[in-house]
Amino acid sequence: MAEFEHEHVRVAVIGSGFGGLGAAVRLRREGITDFVVLERADAVGGTWRDNSYPGCACDVPSHLYSFSFAPNPEWPRTFSGQEHIRAYLEHVADTFGLRPHIRLGHEVTMMTWDSEKLWWRIETAHGGTLVADVVVSATGPLSDPKTPDVPGLGSFPGKVFHSARWDHDYDLTGKRVAMVGTGASAIQIVPSIQPRVGRLTLFQRTPPWVMPRADRAISGAERSLHRRVPATAKARRALLWGIRELQVQAFTKRPRELGFVENMAKANMARAIKDPALRAKLTPSYRIGCKRILLSSTYYPALAQENVDVVASGLSEVRGSTVVAADGTEAEVDAIIFGTGFHVTDMPIADRVVGADGITLAESWKDGMQSLRGASAAGFPNWMTIIGPNTGLGNSSMILMIEAQLSYLADYLRQLDLLGGRVALTARPSAVGAWNRRVQERMKRTVWNTGGCDSWYLDANGRNTTVWPGTTSEFRRATRAVNLAEYEVVRTADASDASAETVAAAGSGAGTVAEGAVA
């Protein structure tokens, strides 16, 4: 330790959700134990710790929404709730011996690249500074809630909170509640609170497409079978994965084929919503799939209840206890709940990362997020993201994408070892540009770009920097190995130039299969 001014680790992982814990497990499996996981909260779990609102559950089947290396035969339901997913992540932390590496209450306030030492200097709210050779940013896109700047909100005398910061001490029983937003959180919250609130006013800017949720309890016999014969759980997971891989073509190449699915969604609505006027309010005008398709068998029945009002307009103003919609509709309420999503294309963590050129990641991404294979940003050496730009999915499990990125991370660290000494890899701007041009070219024909909606997949410039325009199999091939031709090798000024042969040896054949993955 005397060589370093501050504590030094080989790898610092930021965040302890699925991405962060997955990275920690992969590091240990690669034989790397010199790492820390920096978590701002007082427990692991990421978005599944933060989102504890009533009815919170996953819209991906449980056996697919879990790590392949940590199967869980005890899932209680086909679509498990937040409490079970959070318990699963706690179990992963314990089973794989991650607790000694995790530092809770260590929110990262700044990460600065030192071009002379070739390491990252990391400051945390806990105090002190540490340095890391490599940083793995696994903060996730659904970690920082977005609350709109509504005129008059600051003077509202009642209760205000975001769905991701649910106030469990506030009793909604008999209250007049305004629910702002109709996304994935809102359609779970509405049916959960409707029976106990006095009146519920739903502010809907854009109606979502909602399909039935085929959720059921997994029987004891099924769980016993998966426990005794693990291959059955593996087969179940493979079937769930395969079905979703086959669906991708409709989203990415043939959006018109989704018309059949639209008819199914309309039938789902018609079963519960008998009032033609209400049905008209709830019927989207854009192609299904343009926004994420939501799953619920209770949302529409809740909206049909007498104590629910649907306002087909966004919240525009608050006057005392009165909430006012853009169309002039007013309602007196005791509480306002925002289900208005997260900072996805403008992640706050980007303001805290200063790269080799002395600019922040946010400044580098001012015209839109982009990175090489969803992992490496130009100008930010030895810095990788898990769930980076264009790695999101519209119909399958993000755990599949995370595991693909973990394989890329593992090979990245192997390449650093092969190069030897104080060394860093930084993505070539030309490689980042080429990768993103191919991604955006494929994006042009997807339902996310052609479906006629304004979704959180798009950034302020209308560019889709969020979703992956292909199958998870394609992404896995694209991230199977690092292609050193896409990176510049950086060494300290006093390093020997005799490393050229090592660079050539390390780069020969590495990752070339990925070159045309998005062509």
Side-chain angles (χ1 to χ4, degrees):
M1 293 294 292
E3 178 186 350
F4 304 106
E5 179 185 354
H6 303 285
E7 178 187 4
H8 176 266
V9 293
R10 185 176 183 203
V11 182
V13 179
I14 317 300
S16 68
F18 267 100
L21 294 181
V25 171
R26 189 58 187 257
L27 290 172
R28 287 188 62 90
R29 295 177 77 182
E30 292 291 319
I32 298 171
T33 58
D34 183 17
F35 71 90
V36 295
V37 179
L38 302 176
E39 169 55 56
R40 67 183 178 184
D42 59 0
V44 303
T47 191
W48 294 106
R49 173 201 60 237
D50 295 342
N51 287 270
S52 59
Y53 58 79
C56 184
C58 190
D59 60 0
V60 176
S62 304
H63 286 86
L64 192 59
Y65 199 78
S66 47
F67 291 120
S68 63
F69 53 78
N72 178 21
E74 304 298 337
W75 288 118
R77 303 195 65 83
T78 51
F79 291 90
S80 291
Q82 173 264 344
E83 68 276 17
H84 299 114
I85 298 173
R86 182 177 178 183
Y88 171 78
L89 290 171
E90 295 279 2
H91 175 73
V92 168
D94 291 330
T95 301
F96 291 90
L98 305 182
R99 298 289 182 187
H101 300 277
I102 299 171
R103 299 186 184 179
L104 303 175
H106 279 65
E107 180 176 10
V108 172
T109 56
M110 189 61 67
M111 291 182 280
T112 306
W113 176 251
D114 187 325
S115 296
E116 293 185 2
K117 299 291 187 179
L118 297 189
W119 63 39
W120 285 94
R121 190 174 299 272
I122 305 171
E123 301 170 27
T124 73
H126 189 269
T129 303
L130 73 151
V131 295
D133 298 334
V134 177
V135 167
V136 179
S137 180
T139 57
L142 306 182
S143 56
D144 292 285
K146 179 187 288 186
T147 301
D149 184 15
V150 180
L153 182 61
S155 60
F156 178 68
K159 193 70 179 178
V160 179
F161 53 87
H162 191 280
S163 59
R165 300 292 185 266
W166 194 271
D167 189 338
H168 291 278
D169 294 328
Y170 184 74
D171 186 5
L172 291 172
T173 304
K175 298 292 196 304
R176 299 167 299 176
V177 179
M179 179 76 226
V180 184
T182 53
S185 299
I187 71 156
Q188 295 178 342
I189 293 170
V190 166
S192 299
I193 68 173
Q194 175 271 320
R196 58 192 175 100
V197 302
R199 186 141 212 95
L200 179 60
T201 303
L202 177 67
F203 286 85
Q204 170 194 271
R205 283 196 308 172
T206 309
W209 284 106
V210 183
M211 294 287 287
R213 183 183 179 87
D215 186 30
R216 65 171 179 83
I218 298 177
S219 68
E222 288 175 274
R223 296 199 299 273
S224 177
L225 178 64
H226 293 333
R227 199 165 46 244
R228 293 182 177 186
V229 188
T232 60
K234 200 173 283 188
R236 184 175 191 159
R237 177 186 176 91
L239 178 61
L240 292 168
W241 167 77
I243 291 172
R244 282 155 181 78
E245 289 289 274
L246 292 174
Q247 295 171 345
V248 170
Q249 294 280 4
F251 287 86
T252 59
K253 294 181 179 180
R254 296 187 289 272
R256 291 182 180 178
E257 294 182 358
L258 292 166
F260 172 71
V261 185
E262 280 185 13
N263 291 332
M264 293 175 62
K266 288 177 180 178
N268 179 47
M269 183 195 305
R271 279 191 290 271
I273 306 297
K274 304 304 180 183
D275 178 6
L278 179 56
R279 201 156 56 233
K281 283 184 181 181
L282 299 174
T283 302
S285 60
Y286 55 88
R287 174 67 74 191
I288 194 169
C290 185
K291 289 174 176 281
R292 189 174 179 96
I293 300 173
L294 306 183
L295 304 180
S296 177
S297 298
T298 57
Y299 179 64
Y300 287 139
L303 296 185
Q305 300 306 306
E306 292 185 358
N307 68 332
V308 178
D309 296 313
V310 177
V311 179
S313 183
L315 178 64
S316 66
E317 186 182 357
V318 178
R319 302 177 194 149
S321 296
T322 303
V323 287
V324 185
D327 65 0
T329 302
E330 298 183 2
E332 292 287 320
V333 298
D334 304 302
I336 303 174
I337 302 171
F338 286 99
T340 45
F342 301 84
H343 290 277
V344 176
T345 59
D346 57 343
M347 294 184 289
I349 190 68
D351 288 309
R352 307 179 186 185
V353 185
V354 181
D357 298 326
I359 65 172
T360 66
L361 185 61
E363 292 169 325
S364 175
W365 282 351
K366 67 180 185 299
D367 295 324
M369 300 190 300
Q370 59 176 335
S371 64
L372 176 61
R373 305 184 188 277
S376 302
F380 297 82
N382 284 8
W383 186 89
M384 302 191 71
T385 53
I386 304 296
I387 314 183
N390 290 115
T391 61
L393 296 175
N395 76 313
S396 192
S397 173
M398 278 306 303
I399 313 307
L400 301 169
M401 302 295 278
I402 289 172
E403 290 197 33
Q405 290 197 289
L406 297 182
S407 294
Y408 193 74
L409 168 64
D411 195 55
Y412 189 98
L413 294 170
R414 290 188 206 110
Q415 298 302 326
L416 290 177
D417 282 344
L418 286 171
L419 291 167
R422 299 294 306 160
V423 64
L425 292 174
T426 183
R428 295 181 183 274
S430 58
V432 175
W435 171 262
N436 281 278
R437 282 192 296 274
R438 294 197 296 269
V439 168
Q440 292 302 320
E441 184 61 32
R442 283 189 62 176
M443 197 70 72
K444 289 179 181 178
R445 56 184 173 178
T446 68
V447 69
W448 308 301
N449 279 36
T450 65
C453 72
D454 181 15
S455 74
W456 58 265
Y457 297 149
L458 309 179
D459 64 17
N461 301 312
R463 185 166 170 264
N464 194 325
T465 59
T466 307
V467 186
W468 168 246
T471 65
T472 62
S473 299
E474 288 177 287
F475 189 75
R476 186 169 61 244
R477 290 194 297 271
T479 54
R480 187 165 61 188
V482 169
N483 180 1
L484 282 186
E486 296 180 326
Y487 288 87
E488 294 177 15
V489 178
V490 182
R491 292 189 179 276
T492 53
D494 57 351
S496 170
D497 290 333
S499 60
E501 293 183 9
T502 307
V503 173
S508 60
T512 52
V513 66
E515 189 62 31
V518 294

